[in-house]
Amino acid sequence: MIDSRHDVIIIGAGVVGLAVALEVTRRFPRLRLLVLEKEDSVARHQSGHNSGVIHSGVYYKPGSLKARLCVTGAAAMIEFCRQHGIPHKVCGKVIVATEPEELPRLEELRCRGEANGLTGLRLVGPAELPEFEPHVSALKALLVPSTGITDYALVCQKYAELISAAGSTVLTCAKVTGIRRSANEIVVETRRGAFLTNALINCAGLFSDRISQMAGDIPTAKIVPFRGEYYDLIPERDSLVRSLIYPVPDPRFPFLGVHFTRRISGNVDAGPNAVLALAREGYRHTDINLRDLASSVTYSGTWQMARRYWRDGLAEWHRSLSKSAFVRALQRMVPEVVDNDFVPGGSGVRAQAVKPDGTLVDDFQFVPSGNVLHVLNVPSPAATASLAIGKAVVETAAKLFLE
Ligand SMILES: Cc1cc2nc3c(=O)[nH]c(=O)nc-3n(C[C@H](O)[C@H](O)[C@H](O)COP(=O)(O)OP(=O)(O)OC[C@H]3O[C@@H](n4cnc5c(N)ncnc54)[C@H](O)[C@@H]3O)c2cc1C
C-alpha cells in the first residue's frame, strides 16, 4: 500500500540532503518533495559531529569539484549564516610548517589556494607569526584569512525550517528499508510507510553505498567509516589558541593531522584523528556493529588500503589509544600544551568511499542511475560546500530527470 506520492524523494537529512532539498524548493517550487530521515531529528551524524570549520578551499586540487564547490560554497555559507542570524565568524587560520621538509608543501599550498581563487594568502616567518598566534612555534606559516567557523547543526535546522516553510516535508524516524523500481516509478519503503516517486536522490552519508545497493545498483566504491576523536582544551588554557591552527597536510591524506579549533561557542578543541571505526555510527571505541564490521573486513578495498597505508594507520591508532602521543602531535605546533591541559571531547565518524584497490575516492562523487541519483562521496569540506553541492546535485538531477 502506498501512503503518498511525491515528485522527488531525498534520503538523508544531513547537511547535504537538506541543502539539496532546499535547492529543489527554490528551483522547482511546484514539485512535491519529501525528505526521509531515519533519526528523530536532523544532523544526527556527520553533519552534527564535525569541526564546524567553514573551509576556504586552499587544499583541493584546482578544477576538482571539491575546489570549486568549496570556494563558492564557503561564500554562500557565510552569506546564509549572516542572513539567518546563525552564529559564525571569519576568523582565519594558520597552517604551520614545523619541519624543513614541510616548507615546499606549504609553498605549494599557497599556489594551490591562489589557483583556486583565494585572496589574502600570505607566508609569514617566526618574527611575524606571534601577531596572529602568539603561542605557535613554526619555521613558517601560511595565513588563510577567509577560513571561518559556524555550527552546522544550527545550519541544518535552518535548512529544514526553510524546506518546511516552502511546503515540503522532512519526515523523521523514517528509516528507508527497501526500494522497488519499475520503468518510471520508485517505491521507497520506510518504517513510517511506503512512498511513491518519480525521482530519488540518495544522500544517506555513511549508508549511501547500502542505499545504492538497495536501489539495485552496484556502487563502484564502498563506504569505510573512520572515527575522528577530539580532546577539549581546558578553559584555563584556551588562551593558547586564538583561532585555527593546522599542520601542513600529508598530500595523500588531506584529512589527517590533528589541529586546534576555536569553536563558535568559544571553546577550543584539538583533533580529530582518524581510526577505522567498528560501526558506521560508532562514536566510541566500544561501539561495534557486526554487519558494519563484516562489511569492512570482507572488503578487498579495506585490506588493500591497510596494506598500502598500515604505518599511517598504526600511528593514528597509537594517537587514539595514547593521550600522550596525541598531545605530542599538538606540541609540535604549540609547545606549551601538556597532557593535563586536555580532557576527552566528542567524536565524529567520516564516510570515506574506498575503491576495491584500496584507493580513497578523493573528489565528491554523484552517480546517476536512471531516475535515481546517488551522492556517494561527500567528505569534508561538504558541510562548507553544502549550498554549492545542493546546486550542483539539483543541476545534475534536472538534466537527468527533473525537467
Ligand atoms: C569528524 C569530522 C569533522 C569534520 N569537519 C568538517 C568541517 O570542519 N568542515 C566541513 O565542511 N566538513 C567537515 N566534515 C565533513 C562534513 O561533516 C560531512 O562531509 C557532511 O556532514 C556530510 O553530510 P551528509 O549529509 O552527506 O551526511 P550525514 O550528516 O551523515 O547525513 C546522512 C543522513 O542520512 C541518514 N540516513 C542514513 N541511512 C538512512 C536510511 N536508511 N533511511 C533514512 N535516512 C538514512 C542518516 O541518519 C543521516 O542523518 C567533518 C566530518 C567529520 C566526521
Side-chain angles (χ1 to χ4, degrees), residues 3 17 37 53 57 89 105 117 126 196 233 247 258 279 297 302 315 318 347 371 373 378-379 382 401-402:
D3 287 274
E37 168 55 49
V53 176
K89 190 173 173 193
R105 298 215 305 266
L196 189 68
L233 191 58
V258 289
V297 298
T302 311
H318 182 48
S347 67
N371 47 356
L373 183 59
V378 275
F401 47 70
L402 286 182

Side-chain angles (χ1 to χ4, degrees), residues 12 14-16 37-38 45-47 50-51 53 55 176 378-379 382-384:
V15 74
V16 172
E37 168 55 49
K38 70 179 165 66
H45 294 291
Q46 296 176 88
S47 305
N50 56 42
S51 298
V53 176
H55 287 293
V176 173
V378 275
T384 302

Side-chain angles (χ1 to χ4, degrees), residues 8-22 33-39 41-47 156 159-160 163 169-176 179 188 190 200-208 211 281 373 375 378 393:
V8 190
I9 290 183
I10 293 170
I11 303 175
V15 74
V16 172
L18 292 169
V20 172
L22 186 59
L33 164 73
L34 175 67
V35 181
L36 297 169
E37 168 55 49
K38 70 179 165 66
E39 303 293 347
S41 59
V42 303
R44 286 287 299 278
H45 294 291
Q46 296 176 88
S47 305
C156 286
Y159 285 173
I163 292 161
T169 307
V170 178
L171 192 66
T172 53
C173 304
K175 181 174 178 172
V176 173
I179 296 172
V188 183
T190 77
L200 180 67
I201 305 179
N202 163 15
C203 300
L206 286 150
F207 291 93
S208 53
I211 293 289
E281 291 167 353
L373 183 59
V375 175
V378 275
V393 168

